[in-house]
Amino acid sequence: MVKVVVNKEACIACGVCWSVAPQVFELDPSTGKTRIKEQYRVSDSDTESVGEVPEELREPVEKAANSCPVGAISVS
Ligand code: SF4
């Protein structure tokens, strides 16, 4: 599994990750920031959203992380 962490404090809600990897990332309406979709979500707070995705989604998730203008997405 691939661990994905979104730093919601850093996220500027530009929407890039939602379009690059819509399977994994979505808008959290309560904070206006990105969160991990429920299917892959491990935990979610106002400051951080953590998920685990299968290996086959590593490529789009890494692409989203590399495309994030503020480096708010970590993949490991
Ligand atoms: Fe937030 Fe980065 Fe996603 Fe833009 S690409 S919405 S800044 S996590």
Side-chain angles (χ1 to χ4, degrees):
M1 297 288 267
V2 179
K3 186 178 180 188
V4 190
V5 179
V6 178
N7 177 344
K8 293 165 93 171
E9 292 184 313
C11 173
I12 57 170
C14 70
V16 165
C17 60
W18 312 333
S19 56
V20 171
Q23 316 94 313
V24 176
F25 302 103
E26 66 180 6
L27 170 67
D28 173 0
S30 70
T31 61
K33 306 295 181 75
T34 287
R35 70 180 174 192
I36 307 293
K37 283 194 165 175
E38 186 175 12
Q39 183 181 359
Y40 303 116
R41 194 180 306 150
V42 173
S43 65
D44 187 64
S45 70
D46 285 351
T47 58
E48 189 176 78
S49 191
V50 180
E52 283 184 348
V53 302
E55 280 294 332
E56 53 263 36
L57 288 176
R58 179 183 288 275
E59 189 180 333
V61 163
E62 286 187 339
K63 189 175 176 194
N66 291 335
S67 303
C68 176
V70 292
I73 302 171
S74 304
V75 182
S76 56

